[in-house]
Amino acid sequence: MIEKRSIGVSGLLVRPIGLGCMPLSLKGRFPDGYGVSVLCAALDAGMDFLDTADVYCIDHTDVGHNERLIAKALGEWKGDSTSIVVATKGGLERPGGAWIVNAGPDHLETACEASLKALELETIALYYLHAPDPEVPLAESVGALAKLREKGKIQHIGLSNVSVTDIRLASSIVPIVSVQNRCNPFDREAWQQGVISHCEQNGIAFIAYSPVGGGTGKVRSKQHPALCRVGQRYDVTPFQIALAWLLRKSSNLIAIPGASRMKSAVDSAAAMNIILSDNDMAELDHAFPST
């Protein structure tokens, strides 16, 4: 039995590897029917945490695509959909396909309402500020999320793409249960800048996105000698070793690898069963120092 991990003090418990759903909705995506199949395969493989955002789409005409896809998949999945935790985000826009930050209170309220409709929910279990907005004081953005929580639109609040200073400020306004930053063997700033240790010390879950490298970083993972050597010992892929390494590094960490194909989703879920030895951890820690 795979032990579940807590999303901070929210009371939400999920398995340590969830699905980053963004690849299912970007330019060049597969038809929606296949996207639903990928989501259902991930759920069948044991994932119970789906990460999305309103802007996981092609452009401004397509906002909410990923959320609608998840709603459709949960409606078709043969399992208990009430056991699945869905997290989404607000605070970005996609004009003409660009990625633009807009964490103004009015935009966040509108975005949250649209996400509720797209996900076919009355309340969102976990809602993130997608990124701090340099044009809007962070306290105003977080304050807007606090008001949405008071109204019952969202249950718990998270932050994404933030520093320790951001987390401290936000936490002084409203309870923060989760922080989602980029983290993988090649991107270790979350350790080096103290974000993971701060989360560990303050009961905040750390959600690692792009945990096997993301985009071109996947090539580095696939070819890295240490990941390949350890993978051969367990008869698994270098990607699965990267995930297993992250999970062993911190019991507070939950990884959300992306997937656009069923096999990728199933393989990522299988990494939850890999328990790396102390010797293998030492080899990987030497290859990827986190301090």
Side-chain angles (χ1 to χ4, degrees), residues 11 36 48 52 54 59 66 73 80 103 180 205 215 226 246 261 274 290:
V36 168
D48 56 6
T52 183
D54 58 344
D59 59 26
N66 200 247
D80 177 15
Q180 181 182 137
L246 283 174
R261 299 177 185 273
I274 302 169
S290 57

Side-chain angles (χ1 to χ4, degrees), residues 90-282:
L92 297 186
E93 294 182 294
R94 297 297 312 280
W99 299 82
I100 304 298
V101 180
N102 182 355
D106 290 345
H107 174 73
L108 288 171
E109 183 174 3
T110 300
C112 181
E113 292 287 355
S115 289
L116 284 165
K117 182 177 180 180
L119 288 167
E120 301 178 15
L121 295 173
E122 294 183 0
T123 183
I124 295 168
L126 175 57
Y127 193 81
Y128 289 94
L129 177 66
H130 207 144
D133 187 339
E135 301 299 322
V136 179
L138 181 62
E140 290 187 16
S141 301
V142 175
L145 298 189
K147 289 180 181 178
L148 290 168
R149 181 171 172 261
E150 290 171 3
K151 293 178 180 179
K153 303 292 184 180
I154 58 181
Q155 296 176 29
H156 304 287
I157 296 171
L159 304 173
S160 186
N161 301 300
V162 289
S163 66
V164 170
T165 300
D166 295 331
I167 302 167
R168 286 184 175 133
L169 174 58
S171 297
S172 71
I173 298 169
V174 69
I176 300 299
V177 303
S178 176
V179 166
Q180 181 182 137
N181 280 9
R182 185 181 181 94
C183 182
N184 60 62
F186 307 101
D187 294 285
R188 303 183 296 278
E189 289 185 357
W191 275 292
Q192 295 162 352
Q193 297 180 356
V195 173
I196 291 178
S197 61
H198 180 83
C199 289
E200 290 172 340
Q201 293 163 13
N202 291 276
I204 299 171
F206 181 83
I207 313 299
Y209 76 79
S210 297
V212 298
T216 57
K218 290 182 180 179
V219 176
R220 296 175 69 187
S221 295
K222 184 178 181 180
Q223 298 175 346
H224 194 279
L227 293 172
C228 291
R229 280 195 305 271
V230 177
Q232 288 173 355
R233 293 172 200 150
Y234 292 81
D235 193 25
V236 298
T237 68
F239 304 127
Q240 290 171 305
I241 293 299
L243 291 170
W245 176 72
L246 283 174
L247 298 188
R248 178 89 191 271
K249 289 284 287 180
S250 174
S251 61
N252 198 55
L253 185 150
I254 297 163
I256 50 167
S260 59
R261 299 177 185 273
M262 285 186 280
K263 186 179 186 305
S264 298
V266 172
D267 285 351
S268 290
M272 290 187 276
N273 296 304
I274 302 169
I275 307 299
L276 297 173
S277 71
D278 290 344
N279 287 340
D280 290 326
M281 283 299 296

